[in-house]
Amino acid sequence: MVARESTRPTSRDVARAAGVSQAAVSLVLGDKWRGRVSEATAERVRQAARALGYRPNLAARNLRLGRTRTVLLVVPALTTEFFAGVYTGAARVAAEHGFGVVLYPSPEGIGPARNPFASAQAALDGVIASSMAADALTAIRGDELPLVMLDSDPEGSPGAATVNLDIADGVRRIADHLLGLGHRSFLHLAADVASWTFEVRARQLAARVGAVPGTSVRTVRSALSFEDARAAVETALGAPGPRPTALVCDDDMLAVGAYKGLRRLGLRVPDDISVTGLDDLALATAVDPELTTVRLDAELFGERGMHALLALLEGRAPEGGDIPVDLVVRGSTAPPGAF
C-alpha cells in the first residue's frame, strides 16, 4: 500500500510532462481553463494526464468543495515576530472568505513536529508552508494537499504555487548601501539553515560585492539564536589579522547576537564595524545604535499566501510577482573609519 501511494502520479508530474504550471493543470482538469489557457495547452495537459494515469486527489477535490474550510500554516518555531505576522495576514484573509487557519510550528525549524491530525487529508483543505519548515510536510502528508510554498524556489517547489518576498533585491540594496559608504571588506554572518531563502542571500551578496574590484566577502555560519551568533562573531573577529569593516547578517536576530559579540571584543558599531540585518523586527530599534536592515512585510506575505491558496481552490492562477522590500537605514552603518 505504501509503495503504491508513493508512486502515484501527481499534478506536478502532469505539469512537468505537459510543460505547463501546476496552476494550468488545475484549471484544465477542473474544466475552468477556457479564456485562461489555449485549447492546444488544455489538450496537452489532458494527454499528459491520460498517459501518466493521473487521478485527481480526493482531498483536493474536497477542498474545492469547501468541505472543511480549514487550512494549515506550517512555519518554523515562532522564535521571532516575523512568522506571527505571516499568520496574522493569512488569518485575516482566511476569515474574510470563511476559512480558519491552524498554525503548525516545527520545533526549532528543524524536522517535523508531531502530527496534530490523525489524517491531515481528512481534517484540512489545504496547506501554506514556509520552506524553512518544509520537512514538517512529510509528517502530515501535507504535500498531498493543495499546497502554497512561502520563500521557496519557484523552479523546485513541491507546491502548486509559490509566494516570495524579493529577498534578492533586499540583499542587493544592503550591498549597494555598504559599497556606497566605501566598505570593501565584508563578513557575512549566514544562517546555518538549509533553506532557499538563505541561499539567495548568500548568492546575491557574493555577486553584488564581487562585481566591485578590490572587495572580499568571508562567510561564517550560525544557528538562528542570539548566543550562537555572538559566539560565531567572537570567533571570526577575535583572531589577529585584518578585520572586515562591514558585517552583513542574514536576519535581525543574528545581528543582535552579533552586537553582543562585538561588544565583548571591545568593538563599537558603527565606529569600528558597520552591521546590517534583514527583517526589520522590533529588535532592530531596541538595540543601540538602531539597526540598518531590510523591511519585510510579514503580514502582506501571509495575505498573499492565503490569496494564492484560495485561487488554487477556485481553479484560478495565483497572482505572480515577488513582494517588494525596503531598505531602512539607521545608525548601525557608516563609512569605514568615519569615527
Side-chain angles (χ1 to χ4, degrees):
M1 179 65 72
V2 173
R4 187 161 58 247
E5 282 292 321
S6 65
T7 57
R8 187 177 70 183
T10 67
S11 62
R12 187 181 181 190
D13 297 326
V14 175
R16 186 182 297 111
V20 300
S21 68
Q22 283 184 273
V25 170
S26 177
L27 288 171
V28 173
L29 299 184
D31 200 29
K32 296 181 180 181
W33 59 272
R34 292 171 182 82
R36 300 175 182 178
V37 301
S38 69
E39 172 64 43
T41 297
E43 181 56 26
R44 196 160 71 247
V45 170
R46 288 190 289 264
Q47 288 178 357
R50 285 194 295 269
L52 292 170
Y54 172 73
R55 291 175 297 147
N57 184 282
L58 180 59
R61 181 179 294 118
N62 287 339
L63 169 64
R64 290 193 293 272
L65 294 175
R67 184 169 57 85
T68 68
R69 305 193 76 80
T70 302
V71 301
L72 190 68
L73 176 61
V74 183
V75 298
L78 298 177
T79 52
T80 75
E81 70 204 57
F82 179 78
F83 285 105
V86 172
Y87 171 79
T88 298
R92 180 186 302 123
V93 172
E96 291 170 357
H97 292 80
F99 279 75
V101 177
V102 176
L103 185 62
Y104 177 46
S106 177
E108 309 300 331
I110 301 170
R114 192 159 62 92
N115 185 356
F117 303 100
S119 170
Q121 289 88 340
L124 298 169
D125 285 343
V127 179
I128 304 169
S130 164
S131 66
M132 288 179 64
D135 286 348
L137 294 173
T138 303
I140 62 170
R141 299 171 69 189
D143 53 354
E144 296 182 19
L145 289 164
L147 172 64
V148 172
M149 292 298 299
L150 306 179
D151 53 47
S152 181
D153 183 356
E155 302 302 320
S157 169
T162 58
V163 175
N164 287 318
L165 294 149
D166 198 346
I167 296 294
D169 182 56
V171 174
R172 285 192 292 266
R173 292 191 187 201
I174 286 174
D176 289 349
H177 169 64
L178 292 169
L179 289 166
L181 290 172
H183 293 278
R184 295 296 181 266
S185 179
F186 295 77
L187 179 65
H188 177 205
L189 183 56
D192 193 13
V193 177
S195 172
W196 175 81
T197 185
F198 292 120
E199 293 170 3
V200 168
R201 297 168 210 220
R203 283 199 307 269
Q204 289 300 323
L205 180 63
R208 203 66 166 187
V209 172
V212 177
T215 59
S216 64
V217 179
R218 181 161 64 102
T219 299
V220 295
R221 298 190 175 277
S222 167
L224 284 171
S225 78
F226 299 125
E227 287 307 306
D228 284 338
R230 175 198 58 73
V233 165
E234 285 190 57
T235 299
L237 299 181
R243 189 175 62 234
T245 62
L247 174 59
V248 178
C249 303
D250 267 356
D251 77 355
D252 292 353
M253 186 161 60
L254 292 181
V256 173
Y259 268 46
K260 295 177 67 176
L262 294 171
R263 189 177 302 113
R264 290 193 183 191
L265 292 170
L267 299 175
R268 298 165 299 165
V269 178
D271 310 44
D272 300 309
I273 187 167
S274 289
V275 179
T276 64
L278 200 151
D279 274 344
D280 199 26
L281 305 177
L283 286 170
T285 55
V287 293
D288 185 25
E290 294 186 357
L291 181 66
T292 293
T293 187
V294 171
R295 179 172 295 146
L296 309 181
D297 192 331
E299 291 192 19
L300 178 59
F301 198 24
E303 290 176 2
R304 282 278 297 273
M306 191 67 215
H307 277 302
L309 182 56
L310 292 172
L312 291 176
L313 302 183
E314 296 169 4
R316 296 183 287 107
E319 178 183 352
D322 292 345
I323 298 170
V325 302
D326 293 306
L327 176 67
V328 182
V329 178
R330 299 192 179 103
S332 68
T333 51
F339 293 87

